[in-house]
Amino acid sequence: MPTPDSSGPPPEHPSPGTAPARAGERWWPVVSAVLIAALLHVLLPETYRESPPWVLPAVLLVLLVVLVVGDPGRIDRRRRWLRVVTDLVIAFVTLANLFAAGRLVADILTGNKIYANNATGLLATGGVVWATNVIAFALWYWDLDRGGAAARAYRPFADPAFVFPEMQHSHHAPPDWVPIFADYLSLSFWTATAFSPTDVSAIRRWAKTLMMAQAAVSLMVGALVIARAINILQ
């Protein structure tokens, strides 16, 4: 009786107990990004952050410890509770920053006197909100594309939501190239700066919607902050 050819390609849907097809990403870039976002939130004026100021950083730190302990080393454990905790971390960062952005926009539109003669403070606050927005959406892109970092360790080429230039110009990149957090951070930065996909194309509707939302927040905050700061300086 013929036996299956053991030299063939590995199955596309490995069982949960099998080893990943490729090495998973390291935790430190993502952990660093979340900690930077928490620090930026603490640096905001009191009216734009949670009170007391240590609450959000403490919650994020605890959740990060849970993630790293639950999936030590490289990110390659596909567990539903790990995805839930990851989503909670990103949601806390996003909601806290959206709250700050909303308060800032409201203060500018209503003529609040908090920045009546302080263009530097206004630009600094706007810069913190903008930078945190970049980090938050980079985390969402990283977590949702192809099922997340752990799923990409097993099925790196399955169901991409973004087409990176390395995927189109394979002669300039390794044949097994797969995006990591730094690539999603770059995508988020240019979306917030150029208000367009630039060199990365979104090919899923949820990805297009997220990029539209990020560009809208960045445009609104950036335009209002810069216009108000110029008015103060004049």
Side-chain angles (χ1 to χ4, degrees):
M1 179 177 180
T3 58
D5 184 4
S6 60
S7 62
E12 189 176 2
H13 300 278
S15 63
T18 59
R22 68 193 304 275
E25 297 181 47
R26 297 187 182 277
W27 271 114
W28 72 263
V30 175
V31 171
S32 299
V34 174
L35 293 179
I36 290 173
L39 176 61
L40 290 174
H41 184 75
V42 172
L43 295 177
L44 286 169
E46 184 177 358
T47 56
Y48 300 125
R49 56 173 164 78
E50 301 298 325
S51 183
W54 54 265
V55 170
L56 181 65
V59 170
L60 292 177
L61 182 59
V62 170
L63 293 178
L64 287 174
V65 170
V66 171
L67 285 174
V68 175
V69 172
D71 189 3
R74 294 180 179 271
I75 307 173
D76 56 10
R77 290 189 179 178
R78 296 181 295 177
R79 300 290 185 271
R80 184 177 297 276
W81 71 269
L82 287 171
R83 288 300 305 277
V84 171
V85 175
T86 302
D87 290 342
L88 283 176
V89 169
I90 305 174
F92 280 133
V93 172
T94 305
L95 291 176
N97 195 59
L98 287 177
F99 170 80
R103 288 295 301 270
L104 179 60
V105 169
D107 285 345
I108 293 174
L109 293 179
T110 57
N112 193 302
K113 301 301 182 182
I114 187 172
Y115 293 121
N117 300 300
N118 188 3
T120 301
L122 176 60
L123 290 172
T125 300
V128 168
V129 172
W130 183 89
T132 308
N133 187 56
V134 170
I135 294 175
F137 278 91
L139 290 168
W140 282 121
Y141 301 147
W142 167 83
D143 182 57
L144 296 176
D145 187 27
R146 313 184 196 198
R152 288 192 294 271
Y154 289 83
R155 302 176 61 208
F157 310 110
D159 302 323
F162 300 99
V163 177
F164 290 84
E166 290 86 349
M167 299 163 59
Q168 298 175 302
H169 306 285
S170 57
H171 53 286
H172 292 307
D176 60 346
W177 185 91
V178 175
I180 59 176
F181 179 72
D183 300 294
Y184 296 106
L185 183 61
S186 174
L187 165 64
S188 182
F189 176 84
W190 291 117
T191 301
T193 304
F195 311 117
S196 67
T198 62
D199 63 340
V200 180
S201 300
I203 58 173
R204 294 287 183 270
R205 290 189 177 93
W206 67 259
K208 296 175 183 179
T209 303
L210 269 184
M211 294 180 72
M212 290 169 59
Q214 181 188 4
V217 173
S218 296
L219 179 60
M220 179 172 57
V221 171
L224 289 176
V225 167
I226 292 174
R228 178 61 176 160
I230 291 174
N231 184 59
I232 293 173
L233 292 173
Q234 288 178 344

